[in-house]
Amino acid sequence: EGKVEAVRERLEKAQKEKWALRKRCKRAEGVLARAVARTRRKAAKENSKFRVYNHGFYTRKARAMARFLISTGTSEKNVGKVIQTMGGIMGKSIDRVMSARTVQRVVAEGGLAAEMQVCQEIINTPDLTYSSDGTSHLHVEYVSRAMALKVDGKHALQTFGVNSTTDKSAKTQFDGLRNRLGQFSETWNNSPLAKRTGQVFHPEFFITKLRGTSGNHAKDN
């Protein structure tokens, strides 16, 4: 009889532990479900946001969007509003509007980056060709310049931009090219990248690697 009583007590204890464990499991299921729900809500909230500003700076994507909108003809004062509106259409919350002054700086930053890219590609290429063309608008002469070269083994075309000029003579175009290369040189040589890599750019690099020129007038070449 003593053994039966001992077994009964152990059985009752085991049943109590079983029910206590079952309750803990149910509580754990509830805690897990609430944690999952909170995570999903947080993820949904984060996914509904598009960060244009992070740690005191506009993100690279935001700056790229601003430059693209400027290239399509969007005015500087409307760029921030357009980004915010397009974000809302796509279900993204954008709580910061880029100002016209910031857009100006972003465009200038892109121009400097483009000049540095031209310098780096001239430094790294063994040879290149050059072409130019001109036109006029409202009695103002403009000339565009470009070069063809290989970048990472592939053919590429780089523009030097479009600039106003006094006339289309060969001397004026040559002086314009020399001034443009001098501007590129100043940008590159004063950049942190040039100081970090130890590479220096001189306008003469362009001449030593030039293998041919083309234009729409014989006197331009």
Side-chain angles (χ1 to χ4, degrees):
E1 185 177 347
K3 291 182 178 180
V4 172
E5 186 65 26
V7 170
R8 184 181 295 112
E9 289 178 358
R10 288 199 298 270
L11 180 61
E12 290 178 355
K13 183 179 180 181
Q15 288 178 339
K16 289 180 180 179
E17 290 177 350
K18 181 187 72 173
W19 286 111
L21 180 60
R22 180 174 294 180
K23 288 180 180 179
R24 285 199 298 270
C25 289
K26 285 189 174 294
R27 285 197 298 269
E29 290 177 359
V31 170
L32 178 61
R34 289 192 293 271
V36 170
R38 283 197 303 270
T39 302
R40 286 177 176 173
R41 286 196 299 269
K42 184 177 180 180
K45 187 176 180 180
E46 289 296 324
N47 290 334
S48 68
K49 292 182 179 180
F50 179 76
R51 291 185 179 277
V52 298
Y53 201 79
N54 191 27
H55 299 299
F57 297 95
Y58 279 95
T59 63
R60 183 176 298 180
K61 288 183 178 180
R63 299 198 302 272
M65 289 175 63
R67 286 192 288 268
F68 173 75
L69 289 171
I70 288 294
S71 70
T72 63
T74 307
S75 66
E76 295 168 347
K77 67 178 181 180
N78 289 330
V79 166
K81 295 178 182 178
V82 171
I83 293 176
Q84 190 177 51
T85 300
M86 292 303 297
I89 292 174
M90 294 184 292
K92 301 292 185 178
S93 174
I94 300 176
D95 56 359
R96 195 179 187 98
V97 179
M98 190 179 293
S99 68
R101 181 66 180 273
T102 299
V103 173
Q104 293 174 357
R105 293 174 177 172
V106 166
V107 172
E109 175 191 76
L112 293 174
E115 292 179 4
M116 291 174 60
Q117 181 179 353
V118 169
C119 291
Q120 192 171 42
E121 291 179 355
I122 292 176
I123 290 172
N124 294 332
T125 191
D127 42 47
L128 56 88
T129 60
Y130 168 78
S131 63
S132 65
D133 196 7
T135 188
S136 61
H137 180 66
L138 298 177
H139 307 292
V140 177
E141 299 291 340
Y142 294 93
V143 61
S144 64
R145 301 178 177 89
M147 66 176 180
L149 71 170
K150 279 189 175 182
V151 179
D152 297 329
K154 298 180 180 179
H155 291 284
L157 186 66
Q158 273 287 8
T159 177
F160 289 8
V162 179
N163 306 98
S164 60
T165 183
T166 55
D167 57 66
K168 295 180 181 179
S169 67
K171 183 179 185 307
T172 300
Q173 292 197 37
F174 174 77
D175 290 341
L177 174 60
R178 182 174 58 184
N179 292 337
R180 198 82 175 103
L181 289 171
Q183 179 182 344
F184 291 170
S185 176
E186 183 178 359
T187 299
W188 172 267
N189 293 333
N190 290 320
S191 69
L193 180 59
K195 291 178 172 59
R196 188 167 63 249
T197 60
Q199 291 181 316
V200 179
F201 178 82
H202 296 291
E204 291 76 10
F205 290 175
F206 178 85
I207 302 301
T208 60
K209 299 182 179 187
L210 183 63
R211 301 293 180 264
T213 64
S214 64
N216 61 347
H217 299 289
K219 63 179 181 179
D220 293 345
N221 299 314

